Amino acid sequence: MSCRQWLSSAARQCQSALAQQQPRTFSTSAPVAATRSLFHDNTLSSTTPNSRRPRASSANPSEALHGLLTDGLERGGPLSAEQQREVMEQQQGGARAYVRDLRTNATTENYVRQMPRRWRIGELYAPRDLTPAEMKKWRQGRRPNKDVVDMLGFSPLDNYRNFSLISEFMTTMGRIKHSDDTGLRPVNQRKMAKAIRRAVGMGLHPSVHRHPEILRLSRHGLPTSAIPTPSDPSQNRL
Amino acid sequence: MAARSVSPGGALLRASRMFALPSPIPPPPNDSSAGTNFNSDTATLAFPTHQVITTLSSSRKQGDWGLKRPLPLKSTTKSSNPMLRVKAIDTIEQITDYSSATDHGITLRKFQELGMPLSARRPASGDMKDTTSTMNLPQKSVFEESFDMTDIHPDKRAEAMDSRWKFTGPWLAGMTQGEFNKWLAKHVRPKRPEFRQFLKKKIASELHAAAAKEALDKGLEQPALMDASAVTEDQLIDYLRKLRHDNQALYDMVGQFLDLAPLAPPTVSQTGLPKEKVSTLTFNEMKNPYAERGPPITHPSAGLSYLRTSMYMENHPIYGPQKHHTPVVARVLRPRRQAQAAAARLGVAGFVVNTPLGDTGFNSRSGHAVFDKIDPTVEGGAKVWVQAQRASVDSSGRVVLTVNDTTREAQLVAQELLGEAVCLGVQPAENEMNKRESASDIRQRYRAADSPAMSSAQDYGLRE
């Protein structure tokens, strides 16, 4: 049997399988039922090897062996019409499950986006904290109520080369952030602004957008903390 | 006796709410140090700052909460749990500032329902994450005598260093650089003369001890106690020079003088031992349970539970003593997102809880569990059964609960108690009270009955 012949026979079987399948799934009227009863024997005989497989393995070893052998034979040869139908149904079912998973995932993502609060361990919640009105408040960033420079005790002017720090106090359009947004006290705000101007003036930091190194990291989805920390600038001072 | 000496007016004032209400404690710090400025000023605080007050139902109907003026009935009589917090008994606008306190009140009730003791070593939260090697280490109750020393003689405070939880000085490991600098300048530098005096006292006692030992060896009379003023400046400078070359002794002196909270022993990189060994060693050798993660801001039990152990058995009326404590239902606050490597967050008794570590159902890879998705069709949100394992209060006053998977049997027994499941094929008894009937059901029942549902004059033989 040539290759082409084998293919054409398989195609014919496929067509006949579709022809058998359609009336069974879509109609239960009398003539169709009659054709189904005609095909009934055929379908039974063709499905037995598959349906017998688990039963045979448990009941009788010799029968199981026979089942295995016939399976092997069938696996090698072309699929019967009914088997092809089963495979197609399985594939369709898998696709359906996949679509369902995707839909569940999308729903979850949508809901998670509506819940911006990042629950920290040990926090307390009451039913009111789960309401949309309360959740909305967690979406907008607030002005920090502590002076970061005072808290960490560093000098902004010594850190003009630290582009992740400089970027933090600039907008994406390259402007220096207002102290309303930074939460720095006037002295530190002035120092920070001077450090930014110094970095931009020396060409160490772009004046129109974020630093390319930070952009690279954000493109790879890495946090800014992935940047190796520069050596302590106070030690570099002469 | 004391009450008798107070005048009648004074006694009345003392018994009133005005004096019985303690002043509020500072709210928990929000984590500006964590770099997040996303917060809500109306969210439920991690611990209550105001006293919760309640009243009897008869008084509540009249608005009587024992305060200066009756409270509005419209907003105080609807709740089934009368709990209020009073922010101000009287304001300049002549109103009483109050709000509902059911959030913290009910949380306390729910926590006490768990029947958990509070343990001294706090499990992980925030930056300090628990690992599988530390999660099952044994815990001790906060009420152990060795940890819970509050009444200490002022001279013995240094000796009781390892059994205290309250220190006047700060915990250095928890300070930022800026805070540390400020503290040095403001609180430590002015104390220089005091510290010299403290050292002189130390020198005097050391010299006395040496002299006494020598006298004992030679069989002489014990020398008199040496006074700190007898120590010369040269002796002090010599002693200071010695201290500068002995880090441990210097830290001991400074720590004792400033009453610093204890710090954790050396880390992995300092010892060169394997990580697991160090964590176990740290656990065994560290005497003060708060050295690693800072001393608590309240009593380490926070008044939540006075149980000392969870080693008790629960008894079931039919099945007898139970191996496990009753599991509880946890709310899935945030589903697990495997793509973002974010674990699920659970809510147990109103507290946010991490999912258990190790080989549990919460860590299985398949993404089809309840806590992997949000299903809007599930009424009230997804819930899972968990077994509360241990609880403790962290250094910022948050309650850190640890939960584990529950066993099938324990869950079934608990569900049966709630009437949600059936054990051993026994049908739950039909309860007339719980049976739900619609209006049409009731109508049909009355129609089907032989005798009239409502008695009439005919029944009493008044009319033919």
Side-chain angles (χ1 to χ4, degrees), chain A residues 101 104-105 108-109 111 115 119-125 128-129 134 137-139 141-142 146 150-152, chain B residues 31-32 37-40 42-45 104 176-178 337 345 347 350-352 368 373-374 376 399:
Chain A
D101 274 3
T104 319
N105 219 9
T108 307
E109 284 296 332
Y111 275 96
M115 301 191 291
W119 299 99
R120 292 183 63 246
I121 306 301
E123 274 180 339
L124 207 68
Y125 72 90
R128 185 172 54 82
D129 290 302
E134 189 64 35
K137 294 184 183 174
W138 290 86
R139 190 182 298 285
R142 277 157 202 275
K146 269 187 186 168
D150 272 356
M151 209 164 73
L152 299 178
Chain B
D31 281 316
S32 52
N37 303 316
F38 295 94
N39 54 33
S40 158
T42 51
T44 306
L45 295 177
H104 290 121
T176 62
Q177 187 65 42
R337 305 310 292 150
R345 283 272 187 276
F351 295 101
V352 182
H368 294 289
K373 54 178 185 275
I374 294 179
V399 177

Side-chain angles (χ1 to χ4, degrees), chain B residues 66-299:
Chain B
L67 299 170
K68 188 177 173 183
R69 54 179 70 85
L71 297 183
L73 298 183
K74 202 174 174 188
S75 59
T76 55
T77 48
K78 273 180 191 160
S79 169
S80 51
N81 296 294
M83 292 176 186
L84 288 187
R85 67 171 71 92
V86 179
K87 288 172 188 162
I89 284 183
D90 200 7
T91 60
I92 200 160
E93 296 90 1
Q94 299 198 323
I95 53 157
T96 303
D97 190 3
Y98 69 92
S99 62
S100 170
T102 41
D103 44 2
H104 290 121
I106 298 291
T107 299
L108 177 65
R109 268 192 210 163
K110 286 193 284 190
F111 184 83
Q112 285 172 344
E113 232 171 84
L114 291 179
M116 302 265 294
L118 281 137
S119 49
R121 247 176 246 278
R122 96 181 163 89
S125 82
D127 300 336
M128 306 288 275
K129 292 224 165 62
D130 240 348
T131 59
T132 42
S133 61
T134 58
M135 64 177 186
N136 282 329
L137 289 169
Q139 306 275 315
K140 275 187 182 171
S141 163
V142 288
F143 294 109
E144 288 289 318
E145 276 80 3
S146 53
F147 293 152
D148 193 21
M149 279 180 84
T150 43
D151 186 24
I152 305 159
H153 193 269
D155 294 343
K156 304 247 168 105
R157 280 170 68 182
E159 290 155 38
M161 187 78 170
D162 288 329
S163 46
R164 283 155 60 199
W165 53 266
K166 199 171 189 177
F167 304 91
T168 49
W171 184 59
L172 294 183
M175 288 175 110
T176 62
Q177 187 65 42
E179 281 168 354
F180 178 70
N181 292 344
K182 204 193 256 177
W183 174 73
L184 267 190
K186 214 175 169 189
H187 294 103
V188 180
R189 278 200 196 115
K191 283 189 178 167
R192 194 173 284 196
E194 274 174 65
F195 184 60
R196 290 175 87 89
Q197 201 57 38
F198 171 80
L199 281 187
K200 273 186 184 174
K201 246 189 224 170
K202 282 270 163 202
I203 296 168
S205 72
E206 270 179 28
L207 286 176
H208 171 74
K213 187 170 176 289
E214 209 180 322
L216 197 68
D217 287 347
K218 287 181 181 164
L220 301 173
E221 241 180 68
Q222 286 289 303
L225 271 176
M226 198 174 167
D227 194 46
S229 56
V231 179
T232 60
E233 280 298 304
D234 288 341
Q235 275 174 318
L236 178 65
I237 289 168
D238 280 345
Y239 191 72
L240 278 174
R241 278 191 190 129
K242 243 192 278 169
L243 271 186
R244 272 178 207 151
H245 293 286
D246 190 351
N247 263 339
Q248 189 56 46
L250 180 64
Y251 176 75
D252 287 346
M253 291 287 165
V254 172
Q256 206 177 319
F257 176 67
L258 297 170
D259 197 24
L260 297 177
L263 297 172
T267 56
V268 179
S269 55
Q270 284 160 341
T271 51
L273 289 166
K275 200 176 171 189
E276 284 73 29
K277 209 161 203 175
V278 170
S279 61
T280 324
L281 199 90
T282 315
F283 189 86
N284 293 331
E285 296 304 313
M286 206 160 30
K287 299 218 177 74
N288 193 305
Y290 310 111
E292 202 182 356
R293 284 155 184 187
I297 54 171
T298 60
H299 183 271

